[in-house]
Structure formats: structure tokens, C-alpha cells
């Protein structure tokens, strides 16, 4: 496998992992842990459980691609898309599900996820209009611009998200990965 393809798959893996917010990972960890004496076990909300399941399928699909198993990757990717579709059937404006489905569709065909990312940009624009300090909305919009190869817009949004929430350690890494992708698409060194 070419190094560039391996890097692209690794970037998609990071994108899939970043779909679940720290709060969602914390909710999952608490729900999976044994309850303490006298407490009831906590449950993940149905949509959060589906987000984790869909993300897991997408992650498995990308790992299968790294191993060169394109048939398994396609099957797992379809399962992830079906789960994202189910979430979006219940919550049409769920940005995490839109981003996840967009990434999974784009893996099949680069233009296939465009509509989902356009919707992410629209929803992020609305969130930013309501709150100019919504770091997550800037990050979500940056991710959508990045996947659509609008690198200048992605750079601005990543920088704004990082400025608003510098404690998110993966955001600077995403910005750097985007910079590397941008250079690869423009032929710069």
C-alpha cells in the first residue's frame, strides 16, 4: 500500500475517533463500569450508544483498509452508514452523525459525503451566529471544510476553535494533519 494511502486512512481513523466528544467517552466509561454499592447502573442514551457503535464500525472499516481487506472494509462501512442513518432518522440535525456518515460515504466515493458536510457547515454557521464563542461549532465546521478540501476555511476555523478552547489536545493535531493534506493536494513541500 502506498504511504499516501496509509496516511489518508490514518487521518480518517483520527477523524472517526474525534467524532465522540470527551463527554460521550466519559458517559460510555461510566455506563460500562460496575455500579457502586447502592447506585443504579447508568445507561448511555440510545443515540449516544448508536454513535459509539457506528464509530466503532467506521474505525473497523478503516483498520481493514490498512490491512488491505477492501471487502471487509466495504461491509463494515455500510454497517456504519446504516447506523448513522438510523440516528439521523431520529435526530436529523445530529452533527456527529452527519460528520460520521459523511466520512463513511466519502470513503466509498469522495463526493458522496458532500451533502452531509454542507449540512454540518449550515448547522455550525447557525450555532456560531447564536454564540461567537462556540468552539465546538468552529471545530465541526473546520472538519467539514477539511473533508471538502476547502483548506483555507478549515485552517481559519481550526485556529478559532483552538483559540477558544486551547485545552482540546487533539484539535492542534487535526490542524497539523489538515496542513499536511493541503500540501499534498497542492503539490507543495
Amino acid at each position: 500500500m502506498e504511504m499516501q494511502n496509509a496516511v489518508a486512512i490514518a487521518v480518517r481513523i483520527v477523524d472517526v475517533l474525534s467524532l465522540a466528544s470527551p463527554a460521550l467517552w466519559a458517559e460510555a466509561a461510566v455506563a460500562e463500569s460496575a455500579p457502586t454499592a447502592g447506585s443504579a447502573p447508568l445507561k448511555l442514551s440510545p443515540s449516544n450508544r448508536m454513535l459509539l457503535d457506528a464509530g466503532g464500525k467506521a474505525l473497523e472499516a478503516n483498520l481493514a483498509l490498512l490491512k488491505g481487506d477492501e471487502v471487509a472494509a466495504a461491509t463494515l462501512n455500510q454497517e456504519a452508514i446504516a447506523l448513522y442513518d438510523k440516528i439521523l432518522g431520529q435526530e436529523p440535525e445530529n452533527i456527529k452523525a452527519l460528520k460520521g456518515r459523511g466520512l463513511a460515504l466519502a470513503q466509498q466515493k469522495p463526493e458522496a459525503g458532500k451533502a452531509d458536510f454542507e449540512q454540518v457547515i449550515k448547522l455550525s454557521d447557525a450555532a456560531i451566529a447564536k454564540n461567537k464563542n462556540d468552539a465546538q461549532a468552529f471545530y465541526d465546521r473546520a472538519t467539514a471544510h477539511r473533508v471538502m478540501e476547502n483548506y483555507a476555511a478549515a485552517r481559519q476555523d481550526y485556529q478559532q476553535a483552538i483559540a477558544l478552547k486551547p485545552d482540546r489536545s487533539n484539535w492542534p493535531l487535526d490542524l497539523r494533519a489538515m496542513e499536511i493534506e493541503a500540501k499534498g493536494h497542492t503539490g507543495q513541500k
Side-chain angles (χ1 to χ4, degrees):
M1 178 183 301
E2 293 179 20
M3 177 59 101
Q4 188 175 18
N5 287 341
V7 170
I9 294 167
V11 167
R12 282 198 302 266
I13 290 170
V14 171
D15 288 339
V16 168
L17 290 173
S18 71
L19 286 175
S21 66
L24 178 55
W25 287 114
E27 183 181 347
V30 169
E32 300 298 325
S33 67
T36 58
S39 69
L42 297 173
K43 301 280 184 207
L44 277 172
S45 68
S47 65
N48 283 347
R49 169 54 68 194
M50 282 191 284
L51 275 172
L52 288 176
D53 290 345
K57 293 290 181 192
L59 179 59
E60 288 178 50
N62 284 294
L63 292 173
L65 273 180
L66 279 176
K67 293 177 184 175
D69 190 346
E70 293 173 4
V71 173
T75 300
L76 291 162
N77 204 34
Q78 281 305 118
E79 291 175 20
I81 291 168
L83 287 167
Y84 287 126
D85 285 343
K86 188 173 181 180
I87 295 165
L88 291 166
Q90 298 168 2
E91 301 174 41
E93 295 186 351
N94 185 314
I95 287 181
K96 288 180 181 10
L98 284 166
K99 285 172 44 180
R101 184 175 70 183
L103 287 168
L105 288 169
Q107 185 172 323
Q108 294 177 337
K109 185 178 174 188
E111 290 294 313
K114 185 176 179 181
D116 285 342
F117 289 111
E118 288 172 346
Q119 181 68 2
V120 168
I121 291 169
K122 179 182 168 188
L123 293 170
S124 297
D125 287 345
I128 292 166
K130 288 180 187 174
N131 177 2
K132 300 279 187 219
N133 294 318
D134 188 339
Q136 186 64 50
F138 279 104
Y139 177 79
D140 291 337
R141 191 170 71 180
T143 302
H145 281 303
R146 174 182 170 189
V147 173
M148 294 173 64
E149 298 180 5
N150 301 328
Y151 296 117
R155 182 179 301 107
Q156 286 181 323
D157 284 343
Y158 277 131
Q159 289 170 342
Q160 185 64 30
I162 293 164
L164 290 168
K165 206 162 183 99
D167 60 325
R168 294 298 297 270
S169 61
N170 65 307
W171 291 1
L173 297 174
D174 290 338
L175 172 61
R176 181 66 185 131
M178 186 274 309
E179 295 288 356
I180 293 168
E181 289 171 30
K183 284 183 182 178
H185 282 87
T186 62
Q188 299 173 0
K189 293 197 178 194

